[in-house]
């Protein structure tokens, strides 16, 4: 369902970040480019934007990766987080105002769990602490899934629906007591580490507060992550909603399957950039797909995007361009309509082809289009063979 956002002077957005156990692949990049466009559209509409993103720098996949590599989990987290941020910089993603790790948020997480314990929404199973989803009357509204679907997804995505002692199969873990050879922190909850969902709740409430405008991430976060986060926050604050809108990017596949570490079918952003790929061309290739749709990366996608980008750059340099103002307005309309980047690109294609008439204002027309593309699409059209062109 498409609904208009209605932010105030400052639009507040929280996007769920990476678990830094491996390099940034194209599925990650597609997600974060989606919310980069959201940011740019809001800014173009006159809003300030307060953008928050977390990094899940303590979680099972990271610890498993550390064991398999024989490395310290902290070193892996730091290295992969820095690589991710470097990749996002290369792709011209406007960075978040707050970039917060789960580890640094442990004091806030502990406080929230204690507050929820006092309401009866948190209970113990052995030395672990769980959230009682039945204490949240609006649980299920985010995903719209039935109980059977939720239980199946919970088992697939890190939950433990069959654990004895839980009040309900869907109750999520909030605090995990220390396991052998795993990191843990001394807190008033015991020696352990936080569960997944509560991390984002604590970070969001500490930075942008309840009822923020948009929470985003990949489509696989709808359940359980976004559902559980909304339930935690509602039970804590006794208000609704946690986020006014939820936006989810589609999954990117390769070789017939969703990109995933387990399948080994990952295409890494850093590897493409090291091979000399123009980051603007990579951005064009990814944004040529509608954000909410699943799609598959094809080896020819980059060649097509590189050619397309070259046509746009050639048009910017031409003194025979015309109609930039009208094209820009049409592109704004496409981006405002559910982030229709493919539609905006099609309008840019048409503008670039319409160069049959000489125009004394062609140079100014090209500069106008270049400024728009840079600001709203994050694509630099003032470059030829890697060098900037000064008008």
């Amino acid at each position: 369902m498409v609904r208009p956002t209605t932010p105030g002077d400052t639009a507040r957005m929280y996007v769920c970040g990476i678990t830094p156990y491996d390099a940034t692949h194209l599925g990650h990049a597609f997600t974060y480019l989606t919310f980069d466009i959201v940011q740019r559209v809001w800014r173009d509409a006159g809003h300030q934007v307060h953008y928050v993103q977390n990094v899940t720098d303590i979680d099972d996949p990271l610890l498993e990766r550390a064991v398999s590599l024989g490395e310290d989990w902290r070193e892996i987290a730091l290295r992969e987080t820095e690589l991710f941020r470097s990749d996002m910089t290369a792709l011209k993603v406007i960075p978040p105002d707050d970039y917060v790790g789960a580890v640094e948020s442990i004091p806030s997480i502990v406080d929230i769990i204690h507050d929820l314990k006092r309401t009866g929404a948190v209970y113990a199973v052995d030395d672990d602490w769980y959230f009682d989803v039945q204490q949240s009357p609006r649980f299920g509204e985010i995903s719209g899934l039935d109980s059977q679907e939720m239980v199946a997804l919970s088992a697939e995505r890190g939950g433990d629906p069959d654990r004895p002692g839980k009040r309900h199969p869907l109750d999520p873990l909030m605090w995990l007591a220390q396991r052998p050879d795993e990191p843990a922190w001394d807190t008033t909850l015991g020696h352990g580490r936080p569960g997944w969902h509560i991390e984002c709740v604590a970070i969001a409430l500490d930075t942008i507060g309840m009822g923020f405008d948009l929470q985003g991430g990949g489509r696989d976060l709808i359940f359980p992550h976004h559902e559980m986060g909304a339930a935690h926050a509602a039970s804590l604050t006794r208000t609704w909603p946690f986020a006014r809108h939820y936006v989810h990017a589609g999954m990117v596949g390769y070789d017939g399957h969703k990109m995933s570490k387990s399948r080994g079918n990952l295409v890494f952003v850093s590897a493409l950039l090291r091979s000399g790929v123009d980051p603007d061309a990579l951005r064009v290739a990814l944004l040529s797909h509608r954000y909410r749709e699943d799609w598959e990366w094809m080896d020819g996608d980059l060649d097509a995007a590189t050619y397309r980008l070259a046509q746009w750059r050639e048009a910017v340099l031409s003194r025979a361009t015309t109609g930039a103002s009208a094209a820009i307005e049409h592109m704004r309309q496409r981006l405002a309509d559910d982030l229709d980047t493919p539609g905006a690109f099609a309008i840019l294609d048409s503008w670039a082809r319409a160069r049959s008439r000489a125009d004394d204002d062609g140079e100014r027309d090209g500069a106008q289009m270049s400024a728009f593309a840079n600001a709203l699409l994050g694509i630099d059209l003032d470059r030829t063979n890697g060098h900037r062109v000064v008008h």
Side-chain angles (χ1 to χ4, degrees):
M1 178 185 296
V2 178
R3 294 184 296 152
T5 61
T6 56
D9 291 341
T10 298
R12 297 174 295 157
M13 176 169 68
Y14 185 100
V15 178
C16 298
I18 60 165
T19 301
Y21 67 97
D22 211 339
T24 313
H25 59 69
L26 293 185
H28 296 137
F30 183 61
T31 293
Y32 298 110
L33 284 181
T34 292
F35 297 101
D36 186 55
I37 296 295
V38 171
Q39 229 200 133
R40 291 170 185 273
V41 168
W42 270 338
R43 291 179 185 276
D44 185 61
H47 301 285
Q48 299 294 315
V49 178
H50 190 165
Y51 176 22
V52 181
Q53 189 179 133
N54 74 297
V55 54
T56 305
D57 52 0
I58 182 67
D59 201 13
D60 290 343
L62 174 59
L63 299 178
E64 292 164 5
R65 182 72 166 166
V67 170
S68 68
L69 295 177
E71 293 187 51
D72 188 294
W73 64 272
R74 290 162 291 198
E75 293 179 1
I76 297 173
L78 287 171
R79 181 178 69 239
E80 298 302 338
T81 299
E82 181 56 34
L83 180 57
F84 168 75
R85 299 189 76 170
S86 175
D87 288 342
M88 293 300 101
T89 298
L91 291 176
K92 299 186 180 68
V93 172
I94 300 172
D97 300 280
D98 295 290
Y99 191 65
V100 187
V103 170
E104 65 186 287
S105 302
I106 286 176
S108 292
I109 292 168
V110 170
D111 287 345
I112 288 174
I113 294 173
H114 276 304
D115 288 343
L116 288 170
K117 282 174 62 181
R118 284 190 282 271
T119 71
V122 171
Y123 64 96
V125 177
D126 300 323
D127 293 325
D128 300 329
W129 294 99
Y130 279 84
F131 176 77
D132 185 349
V133 297
Q134 297 173 100
Q135 298 293 316
S136 182
R138 303 186 74 156
F139 179 74
E141 286 191 17
I142 304 302
S143 64
L145 300 173
D146 63 34
S147 181
Q148 186 175 359
E149 291 172 313
M150 289 183 186
V151 169
L153 286 175
S154 176
E156 288 177 18
R157 297 175 178 174
D160 55 359
D162 297 326
R163 181 174 180 177
K166 291 174 61 173
R167 295 176 183 172
H168 190 283
L170 291 172
D171 290 350
L173 186 70
M174 299 196 85
W175 186 263
L176 176 72
Q178 185 179 25
R179 284 4 183 206
D181 302 319
E182 289 190 358
W185 286 261
D186 284 318
T187 74
T188 51
L189 292 171
H191 198 57
R193 60 183 171 92
W196 176 25
H197 315 300
I198 191 60
E199 297 169 4
C200 285
V201 174
I203 293 169
L205 293 180
D206 280 349
T207 53
I208 52 176
M210 193 73 176
F212 55 91
D213 293 288
L214 185 154
Q215 183 167 20
R219 184 169 48 77
D220 53 345
L221 295 185
I222 299 173
F223 190 89
H225 190 52
H226 288 171
E227 188 74 70
M228 296 299 182
H232 293 342
S235 293
L236 176 70
T237 66
R238 301 298 180 185
T239 60
W240 185 268
F242 180 45
R244 296 168 64 194
H245 300 273
Y246 288 86
V247 176
H248 299 101
M251 300 290 99
V252 180
Y254 185 60
D255 285 342
H257 298 279
K258 172 195 165 185
M259 287 190 189
S260 68
K261 176 67 179 175
S262 60
R263 288 192 177 275
N265 64 335
L266 303 177
V267 180
F268 294 115
V269 171
S270 55
L272 291 173
L273 296 177
R274 284 196 304 269
S275 72
V277 168
D278 184 339
D280 285 298
L282 182 53
R283 189 172 174 111
V284 171
L286 294 169
L287 292 176
S288 294
H289 299 272
R290 196 68 180 263
Y291 82 89
R292 64 169 61 241
E293 297 173 357
D294 295 345
W295 57 280
E296 184 165 355
W297 175 261
M298 307 298 289
D299 292 334
D301 285 355
L302 199 49
D303 290 338
T306 300
Y307 176 80
R308 196 178 203 182
L309 179 61
Q311 298 303 300
W312 297 344
R313 287 176 172 168
E314 184 180 342
V316 164
L317 288 172
S318 172
R319 289 183 59 84
T321 54
T322 187
S325 295
I328 287 169
E329 185 55 35
H330 290 154
M331 282 191 279
R332 280 195 171 103
Q333 293 170 8
R334 296 319 315 142
L335 293 173
D337 184 6
D338 201 27
L339 306 181
D340 184 8
T341 51
F345 284 3
I347 293 167
L348 187 50
D349 289 336
S350 297
W351 174 83
R353 287 193 298 266
R355 293 181 293 145
S356 59
R357 293 182 300 152
D359 189 332
D360 290 341
D361 290 330
E363 186 173 350
R364 185 174 63 189
D365 197 75
Q368 183 182 5
M369 181 60 75
S370 179
F372 170 84
N374 191 50
L376 247 74
L377 300 173
I379 298 167
D380 189 349
L381 300 186
D382 280 347
R383 289 172 51 186
T384 304
N385 297 323
H387 301 286
R388 291 192 62 83
V389 177
V390 179
H391 290 286

